[in-house]
Amino acid sequence: MSTDTSTPTSPAEGQAAANTRKVFIKTYGCQMNVYDSVRMGDALANEGYVPTEEMEEADLILLNTCHIREKAAEKVYSALGRLRDMKQARHAVGRELMVGVTGCVAQAEGEEILRRAPVVDVVIGPQTYHRLPDALRRARDGQRVIDTDYAVEDKFEYLPVTDKARIRSRGVTSFLTVQEGCDKFCTFCVVPYTRGSEVSRPVHQILNEARQLVEGGVREITLLGQNVNAWRAEGPDGREWSLGDLLYQLAEIPGLARLRYTTSHPRDMDDRLIEAHRDLRSLMPYLHLPVQSGSDRILKSMNRRHTAADYLLLIDRIRQVRPDIALSGDFIVGFPGETDRDFEDTLRIVEQVNYAQAFSFKYSIRPGTPGADMADQVPEDVKAQRLERLQALLLKQQAEFAKSCVGKVIDLLLEKPGRNEGQVIGRSPWLQSVNVDAKTSQIGDIIPVRIIGTGPNSLFAEPAQDLVGT
């Protein structure tokens, strides 16, 4: 579920007033951090904060951090160094600037952040961001606040209901967190230590939030979790529901046209979830299912608790019920002890699955994880060479999948204006960005289009209103 990009994420618009404070939230990493930033913005809107996309205008700057990639903490400290200079300049002219660090780096390095970066007023972990408004009030009274304990209360119960205007301002697609944390303890991964053990949100919370989103104009919802298909909760019928059961229920919400979910673990891909892919038209034919390596020896060392054959058998079962499904995955090259033969096994599984898209990374040591202490660390130049080979194969497969779409008529959800006048960008059922000539008044509509061409990162289409999408 993790990306290596960092993008500004603005919270929803609030009621502006002459004395209103402005907040800028910079979001690093995964989709769950994007969701968390939005919900923090909702909480701050009730405190009178309005969003800004210009950091220089902000009275409050929050860095919502990710700890997955290499040197994540160093990047945060570098950003804080720049904010220190900005804060000093503000104070010189009598203007307030508060700085907060939230997210997984905050969870992992809370005390160290306060020690190394005096510019920081507030440090909030991912389980306690509902307490952010209170922490800011305390910081304004002169305290430096750190709150990274795992909350005993359910943070989602304490978050404000998002009003329709704020939802509408965000667009026609939305994330919705249903599960947090992970109990798998893969030896390369820091998530269990920063997000905690697996926790599933109750059914009523998820359905209520989904209905609120749809009432605000959302047409597509992506369910989020560090291990989303491990979601389990008691359903209204008194029995334990799995993610498949939840998807069947969400599909009944009028106006909710599309469903997706990410990120999944192969060991939690149960029969009910596979049946949902067979039965639900609103569940898009796209699945992100990381395998990480094609070598059984490396998979065991990673503590993945499945084999390459297990994974391939699972892929076959899913494709039998949904032949048009597009597969995405994650791969790590250069895990400690990986040999040339192990890497060739990874290339082999990529060739067998044939991915529509995938994310691949060099292994990087995450302090505190078992992998950090393993012998036989792979040299950086070897990791770089392997990554180059793997990415070349994955990009070739991605391009081939895009070309296979040319000539197809698909249903396209129109999401936002394109770069050129008269152009709108939508998403295909397989999560590809598609450019088509359409009116901005059509945003939110699902229209049939014919794919007529491919670009480096998107497809091109023409309207096909007289045809039925396939």
Side-chain angles (χ1 to χ4, degrees), residues 83-97:
L83 291 180
R84 176 196 59 203
D85 297 337
M86 182 185 296
K87 190 170 187 175
Q88 289 174 346
R90 290 281 190 89
H91 283 187
V93 296
R95 285 187 61 197
E96 178 188 76
L97 175 62

Side-chain angles (χ1 to χ4, degrees), residues 3 62 109 140 307 334 369:
T3 61
L62 297 176
E109 305 211 7
R140 196 163 285 109
T307 65
T369 62

Side-chain angles (χ1 to χ4, degrees), residues 57-228:
E57 295 179 354
D59 304 288
L60 168 65
I61 296 173
L62 297 176
L63 305 182
N64 191 11
T65 61
C66 175
H67 209 277
I68 294 294
R69 297 287 157 246
E70 186 178 12
K71 300 181 179 177
E74 286 82 351
K75 293 176 182 177
V76 172
Y77 289 119
S78 177
L80 290 173
R82 295 188 292 271
L83 291 180
R84 176 196 59 203
D85 297 337
M86 182 185 296
K87 190 170 187 175
Q88 289 174 346
R90 290 281 190 89
H91 283 187
V93 296
R95 285 187 61 197
E96 178 188 76
L97 175 62
M98 299 191 72
V99 175
V101 179
T102 69
C104 291
V105 174
Q107 185 70 38
E109 305 211 7
E111 295 286 355
E112 182 70 1
I113 290 170
L114 289 185
R115 186 186 71 80
R116 288 182 55 180
V119 66
V120 175
D121 301 289
V122 172
V123 177
I124 295 286
Q127 305 305 324
T128 53
Y129 65 74
H130 59 298
R131 300 176 187 164
L132 178 59
D134 178 66
L136 290 171
R137 285 190 289 270
R138 289 158 58 197
R140 196 163 285 109
D141 289 337
Q143 300 181 49
R144 298 183 74 206
V145 181
I146 177 171
D147 192 346
T148 55
D149 293 334
Y150 288 101
V152 294
E153 73 274 19
D154 178 358
K155 69 179 179 184
F156 295 102
E157 289 282 9
Y158 286 81
L159 290 169
V161 173
T162 309
D163 65 49
K164 293 180 183 178
R166 289 207 291 269
I167 294 171
R168 195 169 292 112
S169 72
R170 297 172 187 155
V172 298
T173 66
S174 180
F175 296 128
L176 197 170
T177 291
V178 301
Q179 182 272 343
E180 289 190 278
C182 187
D183 294 342
K184 298 299 184 287
F185 288 93
C186 298
T187 55
F188 55 81
C189 186
V190 75
V191 165
Y193 311 101
T194 57
R195 288 277 182 171
S197 59
E198 292 174 357
V199 176
S200 297
R201 288 182 71 183
V203 172
H204 75 273
Q205 279 190 12
I206 296 167
L207 295 179
N208 287 343
E209 186 169 343
R211 292 186 187 105
Q212 291 165 13
L213 291 170
V214 173
E215 289 170 4
V218 168
R219 304 296 314 280
E220 175 181 296
I221 289 177
T222 300
L223 307 181
L224 297 181
Q226 266 84 33
N227 186 19
V228 69

Side-chain angles (χ1 to χ4, degrees), residues 259-332:
L259 287 164
R260 303 182 189 273
Y261 62 92
T262 195
T263 291
S264 301
H265 194 290
R267 290 182 58 237
D268 291 310
M269 198 80 195
D270 62 16
D271 292 344
R272 186 63 167 161
L273 187 51
I274 294 173
E275 290 167 2
H277 280 282
R278 179 194 65 197
D279 298 338
L280 299 179
R281 179 173 173 78
S282 59
L283 181 56
M284 292 295 96
Y286 175 88
L287 176 61
H288 183 67
L289 192 64
V291 65
Q292 305 299 353
S293 173
S295 162
D296 287 346
R297 194 177 69 84
I298 295 300
L299 287 170
K300 184 176 181 180
S301 184
M302 287 177 166
N303 194 36
R304 293 291 289 176
R305 289 181 280 181
H306 63 77
T307 65
D310 295 334
Y311 182 83
L312 291 171
L313 180 61
L314 179 58
I315 295 299
D316 286 343
R317 290 183 60 206
I318 296 166
R319 281 180 164 157
Q320 284 173 10
V321 302
R322 193 68 193 258
D324 65 335
I325 200 162
L327 274 298
S328 171
D330 288 345
F331 293 90
I332 295 172

